[in-house]
Amino acid sequence: MSELFDAVDALLASRAVLPPPEERRRLRRAHGLTIDEVATALKVRRATVSGWESGKTEPRPPERDAYARLLDKLAELYPTQPNTAEPSEDTVVPEPFTGPATPAALSQTLSTRQASEAAPLTANENSQTTSALVAAAPAAAPRPARTTRTSTSRRPGARNADPSGTPAGSTDPRFENGPLAVVDVVDGKAVAYCTGGLVLDVPAKSLPALVEWTLTEGKLGQPKLSGPGKDADPLLVLTEAALERYGLPVTLTEEEKHAGRIPEGHKVIKQLARAEWKLTKRGFGPWARIYRPATSSERACVQLCIPSWNALDTRHWGEAGRLPPAELARVLGVYASRVMTPRGSTAVTGLELMTALHPPTRASEPDADGKRHSEHNPGSLGKDAIDPMHFPPCEVPDGHPVLKDLPRFHVRGPAEKLFEEAYDWARPMTDAECTLRHLVGIDVNMAFAAGANGLNVGLGEATHVKAPAFDPKLPGSWLVDLSHVDLSRVKVAKDKWVELDGSLLPSPFTPKGERPAGPGWYATPTVAYAQELGYDVAPIEAWVRYDNGRYLDGWYNRIRDAYLATMADLGVDADLAPADFLTAMDGYKARDPELAIVVSAIKATVKGGLGKLRERPRGEGWRPGEPWRALSRPTWRPDIRAAVISRTRINLHRKIVKHAAFTGQYPIAILSDCVVYAANGESPLDFLPYRDGKPLPGGFKLGVNPGLVKHEGTQDVLWGEEVRERFNAPELNLARYIKDGTVTDIDSGE
């Protein structure tokens, strides 16, 4: 009889009624579950759950039964209510923007190309797993919706007060006016330009009052990006007129610029102190944080951004600091919604995004008294995961306290120092290359982000081992001799060896492309590539991390989706044919200069965030051998930075080898992620091998996705020879100047 009942249950499950896709997403978020957690519990791919929530696909038995059971349980816990807040998680994509693509759609397109689903669960296993999932996830406490709203006022004569593509306010009622506001003064009154074209009256007449208004009436901020994380603090951007209104200098003096802050005795700082507001150790600078110590679970903190104090570095934000308030709110709002609310420079924000997606701590299970405590969040760089003072000597930069006993002027060589850096390599052109007409540069999109994708990195302390067997899945630093690897004969596939002209290729093991002369320290991806090329490796010693994981995956996914969505808004879609892609990339920045600023900031977030993993001393009276401020962060991880750079360089070299083996063409110069080839035509299509629209497997492919390439620039071969002759530098790196052909000072690299 039980078998008959099971058969009936299975039949009913096959027609189980599911709520609409939007409700499925709401219920999952309400319980603090991530897409990954649901996918793991049901033993399906992340893309499958994402498809169910977007309405693109529907679950089939036996997963449908378990999914319906999960949603039913969640619906009992979180019945539909008006204005219910929907907390975000680590892979939440922003709401759709005005434009041809959204991060959710792009993420779904990319995810459907991944590996096939795992074997489905039985109905009984699904039921047990679903119940465990609902019980284990932390319940999100419902927050009452706030009904008060400040009066609004449109700025008279504002140009495009509601710019196209501006994100609207958050669906969370606490942050319904968006993540940030640009505060300006119009007709003697302060106004706040929010995202979505909203303009609010600001009654505050002093900076302390402005901070109070922001936290009590402004309804600014951003929901947390992960379950155990924290909501983003509201960001106020002060224009020059706002600075004058609130008693702050419009520009900093040279002394203040050097100090990075205004003096402690400034009258505005005294006003804040009297109102019991505090500043962080950075003081009142371009990115000031004003707060009161937390007395409950609610934070009381507001961040300021002051463009006229160079808060928005022109190298990364272009002319954003000079935009009118509404347009500046749009630029920063798009960035905030797709990446995160800026927390400082793009480098600081890139690092903060890692922490926001993987907070170091989480709430524990209730103890005997029903109280929860703070505990290490698995998969994060928690405070207890590693002691910055106990890093292996080979992984730390010069001047680190670990090296304090070295002689003062000692220069560490490859056998003492892990030196994983990007390429800066060039060679003279051959006679055959000189007969060609053009030099064509191709550039890898978001190369370092692509290098972080799927990378296994250490999460805890390193263990020292002697004469270890190399394990390509184990992150660490390896002392090994790779001088025997001969690029004239390498393996490009299983049991397939090819003969190449090794003299025309850079070594994959050194940034300058020189062949190693003996043992050296290398990150795991570099040593693994030596094995991939068909050569044995025998490490002498190593520092390995048995506690490891793909810490950067969520960070990569968030930035990738932000980049692809913004490029799609600019008319560069992810599925364009090669020729159409090159056409779309031609002048894409001019289609919407403000969104082009966002693209630049996203790219800078990647490079700067990775650079912060090995932040060096920044003055403050530091002396070699003494600790510096960055060492106190759990995210000070030079080994992770080295692994990402190693993998990025190896990814590029692998494509170069594949290209050479198939076409007989070799690069002339490489600078970081830019490669220059000689060709008879001006386009990358004149030398990249495409057959029936398909690229060489494992080689270069044109496209906007991270890891694919775009056209960097084309110059004449005669230009390259003339430049090298003019500077008497036959190996001058032409990749540095290929974009526009301008060569100024070769020593400074400009």
Side-chain angles (χ1 to χ4, degrees), residues 15 312 422 525 709 746:
R15 301 294 188 270
L312 301 175
V709 299
I746 65 172

Side-chain angles (χ1 to χ4, degrees), residues 260-280:
R261 64 185 75 186
I262 59 177
E264 295 293 330
H266 194 279
K267 62 179 182 180
V268 172
I269 296 181
K270 292 181 179 179
Q271 289 176 1
L272 292 169
R274 285 195 296 270
E276 298 183 344
W277 289 104
K278 295 180 179 293
L279 295 166
T280 61

Side-chain angles (χ1 to χ4, degrees), residues 200-462:
L200 305 176
D201 287 330
V202 180
K205 299 185 183 303
S206 67
L207 191 62
L210 176 62
V211 175
E212 292 280 2
W213 172 86
T214 302
L215 294 172
T216 57
E217 300 182 60
K219 294 189 178 181
L220 297 171
Q222 190 176 38
K224 58 188 178 181
L225 296 179
S226 67
K230 299 176 182 178
D231 297 327
D233 298 319
L235 173 65
L236 296 181
V237 185
L238 304 183
T239 66
E240 294 184 6
L243 291 174
E244 292 180 343
R245 177 180 180 85
Y246 295 116
L248 292 165
V250 172
T251 59
L252 299 179
T253 66
E254 289 301 320
E255 183 179 353
E256 290 168 344
K257 289 179 181 178
H258 181 72
R261 64 185 75 186
I262 59 177
E264 295 293 330
H266 194 279
K267 62 179 182 180
V268 172
I269 296 181
K270 292 181 179 179
Q271 289 176 1
L272 292 169
R274 285 195 296 270
E276 298 183 344
W277 289 104
K278 295 180 179 293
L279 295 166
T280 61
K281 292 181 180 179
R282 287 188 296 183
F284 204 122
W287 289 94
R289 297 188 69 80
I290 303 172
Y291 73 99
R292 283 189 180 126
T295 56
S296 64
S297 60
E298 295 295 329
R299 290 165 59 86
C301 182
V302 173
Q303 173 133 8
L304 301 184
C305 168
I306 306 178
S308 64
W309 293 8
N310 198 34
L312 301 175
D313 193 325
T314 55
R315 294 173 298 175
H316 309 140
W317 290 100
E319 298 301 313
R322 299 181 182 179
L323 290 174
E327 281 75 4
L328 180 55
R330 180 202 180 200
V331 168
L332 294 177
V334 172
Y335 179 90
S337 296
R338 292 180 174 176
V339 182
M340 72 178 301
T341 303
R343 294 289 303 273
S345 67
T346 51
V348 169
T349 304
L351 193 70
E352 290 289 338
L353 180 60
M354 297 180 195
T355 302
L357 293 170
H358 287 287
T361 59
R362 68 177 184 182
S364 68
E365 292 296 324
D367 59 17
D369 298 326
K371 296 182 179 180
R372 296 179 183 268
H373 306 277
S374 177
E375 67 178 12
H376 172 64
N377 184 25
S380 72
L381 303 181
K383 294 183 178 180
D384 300 329
I386 190 168
D387 185 346
M389 298 304 172
H390 294 164
F391 268 91
C394 63
E395 292 180 348
V396 299
D398 294 338
H400 190 278
V402 169
L403 307 174
K404 63 182 179 180
D405 294 330
L406 285 179
R408 182 175 180 184
F409 298 105
H410 177 74
V411 178
R412 293 186 293 163
E416 300 173 277
K417 180 180 180 181
L418 178 67
F419 191 64
E420 295 283 10
E421 298 295 339
Y423 268 129
D424 185 356
W425 168 88
R427 62 169 176 81
M429 284 186 278
T430 64
D431 292 341
E433 289 166 341
C434 289
T435 64
L436 302 177
R437 299 175 58 189
H438 302 288
L439 298 175
V440 184
I442 54 177
D443 181 80
V444 181
N445 295 315
M446 303 277 283
F448 293 100
N453 182 29
L455 179 64
N456 202 31
V457 301
L459 301 177
E461 294 277 3

